[in-house]
Amino acid sequence: MPHALAYGAQSATTPLARLTIERREPGPHDVRIDIVNCGVCHSDLHTARGEWAGTKYPSVPGHEIVGLVSAVGAQVSKFKVGDRVGVGCMVDSCRECESCREGLEQYCEKGNIGTYNAPDKHLGGHTFGGYSTQIVVDENYVLRLADNLPFDAAAPLLCAGITLWSPLRHWQAGPGKKVGVVGLGGLGHMGVKLARALGARVVMFTTSPGKAADAERLGAHEVVVSTDKAQMAAHRRSFDLIVNTVSATHELDDYMALLKRDGTQVLLGVPPTPYPPINVGRMIGTRLAIAASTIGGIEETQEMLDFCAEHGIVSDIEVIPMAKINEAYERMLKGDVKYRFVIDMATLKAEGAAA
Ligand code: NAP
Ligand code: ZN
Ligand code: ZN
């Protein structure tokens, strides 16, 4: 069985360290990808540290994967060796249920197969993600990267990008709509860029006053420091849509108050602890909705990548060597990242060669 180098956690309390994992030989429908970069999502941290129930160890995170196809199975028709490709948060789904047939594999009724921490039907055990030199994936769950998308800055599109694109499209962010984006991190900064490119009026909500100038540079028409009650009150009942990317629990009511009649707040962040209760009286008073959304289907992920290639949209990144991943997690927790860490996988190959 072929092996690959990876970084993973052996338990919720141990730092990530180098390990060797198995990757299957490409089957008839599989492509093998030599990973060039992998983005660092807050979900990686939640998972590696066991903040959500059910982490399987060793845990090898990473679902913002980009690289080059290095082998293809006999029946692969969409990709050839040398193609520039990406893999996001899923590597399989049932392909038969209503959601899969509608191209919404992320909502597969049998559960989509996550790129990491999901049952591995090929090798047994669980799937290992993109903090690794290689991955083998069914061609139907592989995305194509246009030539003008740089590997490193495009990597975060595979999770952060699609996680914002899908709800922005579903709730029709566009001209004439006022859209709020809460939390200026990996997801939030893609939300600002995409909502702006879709033609909406965009307001960024941040707890970090120091990020205000950046938010405008990224495309926000206005920035609100959410801890400032007067700034918040100035936007009462004015939003069509608010997409909330915050990774920790907080008062959702503060944002419900900013929605106009028929407005929707979409939850994208998945804090490990519950949110405080929501004021239903306010919700019925203006027919408000609270919703949630996860990543996006394969077809819409390709649509988002092509939109980004056409509009020159990529992530703002800080490239790190694999060995700095634990430090990067600590900095992410402090909000000290502008605005996505991306691992240079050549550094992991070099570690392996030196070992
Ligand atoms: P991130 O880069 O760490 O950004 C999160 C942002 O939330 C921070 O930059 C900060 O923004 C804000 N924040 C953090 N703690 C806060 C607190 N206590 N109160 C208020 N604001 C706070 O994380 P990310 O990678 O964007 O991920 C965000 C969340 O989305 C995570 O929970 C992740 O698991 C989840 N996620 C969900 C999906 C999905 O499919 N739905 C996909 C990917 C990730 P400011 O400094 O601007 O306030
Ligand atoms: Zn993610
Ligand atoms: Zn399905």
Side-chain angles (χ1 to χ4, degrees):
M1 189 59 62
H3 289 87
L5 282 179
Y7 256 58
Q10 299 290 350
S11 80
T13 52
T14 44
L16 276 69
R18 194 169 71 241
L19 70 163
T20 302
I21 56 170
E22 283 183 7
R23 295 293 195 193
R24 66 182 184 268
E25 283 292 358
H29 300 284
D30 288 336
V31 301
R32 188 174 66 210
I33 300 162
D34 285 356
I35 300 174
V36 175
N37 293 110
C38 184
V40 179
C41 178
H42 208 114
S43 301
D44 300 351
L45 186 159
H46 288 311
T47 303
R49 296 194 174 176
E51 294 179 354
W52 296 330
T55 300
K56 300 171 190 81
Y57 295 97
S59 174
V60 175
H63 56 205
E64 293 183 338
I65 299 167
V66 291
L68 291 164
V69 173
S70 60
V72 296
Q75 288 169 44
V76 166
S77 61
K78 297 180 183 162
F79 300 99
K80 59 178 189 324
V81 170
D83 281 354
R84 308 171 84 246
V85 295
V87 175
C89 303
M90 353 173 232
V91 290
D92 210 343
S93 65
C94 87
R95 309 171 196 216
E96 288 167 357
C97 72
E98 200 177 327
S99 296
C100 282
R101 281 189 277 114
E102 287 178 27
L104 295 168
E105 300 88 349
Q106 74 274 34
Y107 302 117
C108 174
E109 283 142 42
K110 302 214 170 106
N112 75 61
I113 303 299
T115 303
Y116 56 79
N117 206 51
D120 185 335
K121 73 177 180 193
H122 303 276
L123 296 178
H126 58 278
T127 53
F128 294 127
Y131 295 3
S132 174
T133 49
Q134 284 188 337
I135 192 166
V136 177
V137 181
D138 184 298
E139 66 167 333
N140 292 307
Y141 297 80
V142 176
L143 290 309
R144 189 172 291 286
L145 275 196
D147 287 340
N148 67 331
L149 285 176
F151 277 125
D152 51 5
L157 300 178
L158 274 307
C159 174
I162 186 58
T163 299
L164 273 295
W165 175 261
S166 185
L168 289 171
R169 297 284 284 164
H170 184 75
W171 278 277
Q172 292 161 0
K177 296 285 179 74
K178 185 173 170 186
V179 174
V181 180
V182 187
L184 184 44
L187 266 55
H189 94 291
M190 289 314 307
V192 170
K193 290 186 185 207
L194 292 170
R196 178 70 187 250
L198 287 167
R201 175 154 189 91
V202 185
V203 179
M204 178 80 230
F205 293 93
T206 179
T207 59
S208 312
K211 293 180 185 171
D214 267 352
E216 281 175 12
R217 178 181 57 77
L218 296 167
H221 292 97
E222 238 178 293
V223 184
V224 171
V225 176
S226 54
T227 48
D228 182 326
K229 285 199 159 46
Q231 283 188 39
M232 291 289 276
H235 288 273
R236 236 174 88 74
R237 287 200 180 185
S238 66
F239 284 89
D240 298 283
L241 175 66
I242 295 178
V243 288
N244 187 328
T245 75
V246 174
S247 52
T249 184
H250 60 286
E251 285 291 346
L252 298 178
D253 258 342
D254 294 349
Y255 296 100
M256 296 311 277
L258 307 188
L259 292 171
K260 70 183 195 196
R261 199 201 68 226
D262 292 321
T264 303
Q265 177 172 196
V266 183
L267 305 182
L268 301 171
V270 191
T273 51
Y275 285 112
I278 292 169
N279 179 347
V280 177
R282 173 185 293 121
M283 288 181 70
I284 65 167
T286 40
R287 198 158 59 182
L288 300 182
I290 189 145
S293 172
T294 195
I295 51 172
I298 295 298
E299 197 181 326
E300 62 180 335
T301 304
Q302 190 63 62
E303 178 189 83
M304 176 274 310
L305 287 170
D306 295 344
F307 179 91
C308 288
E310 196 180 313
H311 291 79
I313 297 174
V314 288
S315 188
D316 283 33
I317 58 166
E318 179 177 337
V319 177
I320 56 163
M322 186 73 254
K324 293 257 190 208
I325 187 66
N326 296 299
E327 202 179 297
Y329 279 6
E330 291 308 314
R331 285 183 53 197
M332 182 157 65
L333 282 175
K334 288 190 223 133
D336 175 23
V337 45
K338 291 184 172 174
Y339 281 91
R340 198 58 141 186
F341 289 117
V342 171
I343 301 158
D344 172 4
M345 220 47 77
T347 62
L348 177 56
K349 283 190 192 133
E351 267 190 49

